């Protein structure tokens, strides 16, 4: 299923693709059992969405994408529940939530217009408006 490499900073394990698939399937079931039953439909919907993406040949959702999807579709889910449900730390979920809040507020838009001074910022560069 894999092997152990003894590196200069200590040992680490390398898992085969088959082993990773087995663990991934079991991990989803385990994480779902850790969430209170009130939030089970949220993670069932996320799992269905991931299955749809896989069936369409799309890329897998990374943890940030999962957090954003949950917040966009089920905004009232506490960060602790999200962290348990997707298997990441609470601090990481809080970081993603703050990032998403800034995205929605428009602070991270690549083209910010400032009409009061007649200019705009595009990816950090000042652009004069006609």
């Amino acid at each position: 299923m894999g092997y152990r490499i003894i590196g200069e900073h200590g040992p680490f394990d390398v898992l085969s693709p088959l082993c990773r698939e087995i663990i991934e399937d079991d991990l989803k079931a385990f994480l779902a059992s850790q969430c209170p039953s009130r939030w089970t439909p949220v993670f069932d919907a996320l799992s269905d969405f991931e299955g749809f993406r896989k069936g369409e040949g799309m890329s897998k959702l990374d943890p940030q994408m999962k957090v954003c999807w949950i917040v966009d579709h089920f905004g009232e889910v506490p960060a602790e529940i999200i962290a348990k449900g997707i298997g990441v730390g609470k601090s990481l979920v809080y970081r993603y939530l703050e990032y998403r809040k800034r995205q929605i507020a428009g602070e991270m838009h690549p083209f910010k217009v400032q009409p009061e001074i007649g200019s705009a910022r595009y990816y950090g560069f000042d652009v004069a408006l006609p």
Side-chain angles (χ1 to χ4, degrees):
M1 289 260 169
Y3 54 93
R4 177 165 283 189
I5 296 176
I6 307 297
E8 67 181 64
H9 298 291
F12 61 94
D13 296 324
V14 179
L15 302 176
S16 69
L18 174 64
C19 182
R20 288 178 39 206
E21 282 183 30
I22 293 169
I23 291 172
E24 187 176 295
D25 292 341
D26 291 342
L27 183 63
K28 284 182 183 179
F30 173 75
L31 291 174
S33 70
Q34 297 299 306
C35 291
S37 60
R38 174 180 178 210
W39 302 110
T40 302
V42 172
F43 297 103
D44 290 343
L46 177 62
S47 180
D48 291 344
F49 180 59
E50 288 179 308
F52 168 77
R53 287 181 60 91
K54 185 176 182 180
E56 293 293 317
M58 300 171 135
S59 63
K60 292 177 69 173
L61 295 174
D62 65 9
Q64 182 177 358
M65 294 166 72
K66 290 178 184 179
V67 170
C68 291
W69 188 87
I70 290 170
V71 169
D72 289 347
H73 291 86
F74 306 94
E76 75 281 355
V77 182
E80 295 82 13
I81 301 298
I82 295 173
K84 281 184 179 179
I86 64 174
V88 298
K90 286 189 290 187
S91 60
L92 189 61
V93 172
Y94 284 120
R95 183 184 317 158
Y96 293 154
L97 290 175
E98 183 61 33
Y99 183 83
R100 184 65 180 146
K101 186 170 75 174
R102 288 177 40 216
Q103 277 183 325
I104 291 171
E107 294 176 16
M108 302 187 73
H109 194 278
F111 191 72
K112 287 197 64 102
V113 176
Q114 300 169 331
E116 64 276 358
I117 59 173
S119 69
R121 291 192 61 79
Y122 184 73
Y123 288 107
F125 296 99
D126 288 323
V127 178
L129 297 175

